Amino acid sequence: GAVVSQHPSWVICKSGTSVKIECRSLDFQATTMFWYRQFPKQSLMLMATSNEGSKATYEQGVEKDKFLINHASLTLSTLTVTSAHPEDSSFYICSASKLDRDQPQHFGDGTRLSIL
Amino acid sequence: QKEVEQNSGPLSVPEGAIASLNCTYSDRGSQSFFWYRQYSGKSPELIMSIYSNGDKEDGRFTAQLNKASQYVSLLIRDSQPSDSATYLCAVNRSGGYQKVTFGTGTKLQVIP
């Protein structure tokens, strides 16, 4: 199997707080993990590619200081939304691929973030 | 031209019919191709992977790949209302390690 666990599944917090989302590959090692954001009725938007032991690669238009990514081990990547505001409310999804080339991405269940 | 193109739909088919979902891609050197299903409010779920030309069958699902035409499709036989979802086509671009591009998805509605 290829199970990706993502926590928490939903978060409601006040504007200005920081929120950390964890993504774990449970039964395989993932040198690369991906973070996506999806607004209602819209397609997946890749935010960044997270590489174990190195800095994340952010997509154009994504603020590095706003969305902090850490990939501390081959099974764990975290996304921290700093000083969150209502416009950051969205569905955040992580994915991970096995080490071999051409392997598909396996997605976590996603985190629904609501900023009041 | 988008890297991966899908008709957004909705594609409506009656229960029991064959649903045909199509996807075209622009990078001729693409190596691997995937179909995901995404229910509303949920994350994508991998259905099929296909790497070589031809058909690949898994239960009611058949993926078809034609690299010469840069075309990949997903057929769903005996469509069920539970198949109603958005189907995402994903393509691993050539020359890159795990550089997958997703299409915007086709919404499928299976009418009981």
Side-chain angles (χ1 to χ4, degrees):
Chain A
V3 181
V4 177
S5 174
Q6 186 174 342
H7 292 281
S9 56
W10 58 273
V11 180
I12 301 174
C13 60
K14 293 181 179 179
S15 183
T17 58
S18 293
V19 178
K20 180 185 281 189
I21 303 169
E22 288 190 352
C23 181
R24 294 180 184 271
S25 55
L26 297 185
D27 53 358
F28 66 98
Q29 292 184 326
T31 53
T32 306
M33 292 184 174
F34 306 86
W35 288 96
Y36 294 85
R37 181 166 57 180
Q38 188 173 37
F39 293 106
K41 300 188 186 300
Q42 295 188 21
S43 57
L44 287 174
M45 188 194 82
L46 179 64
M47 298 176 66
T49 301
S50 167
N51 300 294
E52 186 265 338
S54 64
K55 290 183 179 180
T57 303
Y58 290 82
E59 296 299 303
Q60 191 173 7
V62 177
E63 299 175 59
K64 301 177 183 181
D65 296 332
K66 176 76 171 176
F67 300 100
L68 300 179
I69 292 172
N70 182 273
H71 196 151
S73 74
L74 286 172
T75 59
L76 173 63
S77 176
T78 61
L79 167 68
T80 301
V81 184
T82 62
S83 187
H85 293 285
E87 59 266 28
D88 298 322
S89 299
S90 187
F91 189 42
Y92 292 86
I93 315 172
C94 73
S95 71
S97 295
K98 293 181 180 179
L99 289 175
D100 293 338
R101 191 182 184 92
D102 296 334
Q103 289 295 308
Q105 293 180 27
H106 299 275
F107 287 86
D109 288 340
T111 298
R112 196 160 302 282
L113 176 62
S114 295
I115 309 298
L116 304 178
Chain B
Q1 182 188 10
K2 293 181 181 178
E3 292 183 53
V4 178
E5 288 206 59
Q6 295 180 256
N7 188 319
S8 61
L11 171 66
S12 294
V13 299
E15 183 175 356
I18 296 175
S20 177
L21 304 162
N22 305 316
C23 173
T24 58
Y25 58 95
S26 60
D27 187 342
R28 185 169 288 278
S30 296
Q31 300 293 326
S32 46
F33 308 85
F34 312 101
W35 282 100
Y36 290 83
R37 176 176 62 196
Q38 186 176 23
Y39 291 113
S40 180
K42 302 293 185 182
S43 64
E45 169 192 13
L46 179 68
I47 298 176
M48 296 279 287
S49 304
I50 187 166
Y51 303 95
S52 50
N53 281 329
D55 295 359
K56 179 181 178 182
E57 187 174 319
D58 184 0
R60 295 187 296 112
F61 299 99
T62 299
Q64 298 175 318
L65 176 61
N66 184 325
K67 290 185 178 180
S69 300
Q70 295 174 242
Y71 175 94
V72 58
S73 65
L74 179 71
L75 301 178
I76 306 175
R77 289 182 300 281
D78 188 23
S79 295
Q80 301 296 309
S82 58
D83 295 325
S84 298
T86 296
Y87 289 80
L88 303 172
C89 171
V91 176
N92 191 349
R93 293 172 276 171
S94 61
Y97 185 70
Q98 298 173 341
K99 290 185 179 180
V100 173
T101 300
F102 285 85
T104 54
T106 297
K107 185 173 183 178
L108 173 66
Q109 294 177 340
V110 180
I111 312 300

